[in-house]
Amino acid sequence: MSQPSLIDNFGRPITYLRLAVTDRCNLRCFYCMPEEGIKFLPRKELLSYEEMERLVHVACQAGIRKVRITGGEPFARRDMISFLERLRKIPALEELHITTNGVLTEQYIDKLKEINISSINLSLDTLDPERFLQITRRNELQSVLNTFDKLLAANIPVKINMVVMDGKNTQDIIPMAEMARDNGISIRYIEEMPFNGTGTSKARLLWDHGAILNQLKSAYPDISKVNDPRHSTAYHYQIPGFSGNIGIIAAYTRTFCGSCNRIRVTSQGTLKTCLYDHGALDIKTLLRNGATDQELINAIAGAIGNRHKDGWAAEASRTQKDHHESMSTIGG
């Protein structure tokens, strides 16, 4: 099959696919979705495992080398391990990662180790049980911490993702950093984004990447900037004496867009060439209408070839300017 290269109209090669396998989640984090009223997709509206496997296989033939499985919560979907095992057998797929909230994950860690999962991103916004309950609306902190301990014991690379929210968990910035003192993990602080499923967003962001860094400097004046890997969304820092590192992701202020190498496919099969766009291609319809592999990749390459320059341009292109989408629907 003669494949077009996945290179966007600004010359950026696309090598990273974030694939949401479900919109369902067993937590109800207020910054991601409303507590009640969110309409989860009927099963028939989700891409099947077979459809997703075919999509990843075709995408890898055209240059995708890294896939991250997201949700919702990936392990809220049944038979996830067997799906991951099949993906791991795709020859051109070099890295397979998962983002999870950790509540259901502990039971699968031995299997994840067995299939050589590349890394786990663990979503954890606080180490305080009461604040965890307020943020997630569920009393599951201990389950997440058990998952974290078992991941460390299994020597699976771990990154902790903490969304920083004014008035909610800023007091956890330093305690969270301390987790990297004796563990070779990465703590990543993420600016809060407007995708909470309610159609409302903050007028301005109080805790942007600069404010987060200043908070870290107040406790660790010797914190220093280190080189960022190519295509990284995070600014990386090292604290003297720490075996792990610190990252700050400017997810809302979007200062990393110039080197973006990623695309997203939502659980309902919508290709998003940017987190902030309204959807660039209906992959599910192509798959279910009998598109050949060549037609599928040509369509994906065409959408990538009409990509917005950055997240601000993508957001400006939306006909619906408020953000009714939830991160669970988009893919975290």
Side-chain angles (χ1 to χ4, degrees), residues 6-63:
L6 295 183
I7 298 176
D8 74 10
N9 40 318
F10 298 95
R12 297 172 292 203
I14 305 302
T15 59
Y16 179 10
L17 167 64
R18 297 178 65 100
L19 177 61
V21 297
T22 182
D23 63 332
R24 296 177 184 271
C25 188
N26 50 340
L27 299 182
R28 290 293 181 273
C29 301
F30 77 90
Y31 59 82
C32 181
M33 66 175 80
E35 185 171 13
E36 297 177 347
I38 190 166
K39 295 179 180 179
F40 292 114
L41 294 167
R43 186 177 181 84
K44 67 182 181 189
E45 295 299 321
L46 298 175
L47 289 181
S48 69
Y49 282 141
E50 292 75 18
E51 288 168 334
M52 289 188 287
E53 184 180 354
R54 181 185 173 207
L55 170 62
V56 172
H57 183 81
V58 170
C60 285
Q61 288 182 315

Side-chain angles (χ1 to χ4, degrees), residues 252-272:
Y252 183 72
T253 50
R254 288 164 255 183
T255 56
F256 51 75
C257 292
S259 62
C260 183
N261 69 330
R262 69 190 59 196
I263 53 176
R264 294 171 180 263
V265 174
T266 69
S267 57
Q268 63 267 46
T270 300
L271 172 70
K272 293 173 73 74

Side-chain angles (χ1 to χ4, degrees), residues 252 254 257 274-277 308-317:
Y252 183 72
R254 288 164 255 183
C257 292
C274 174
L275 172 64
Y276 286 87
D277 74 29
H308 294 287
K309 183 177 181 181
D310 55 32
W312 297 107
E315 184 177 24
S317 74

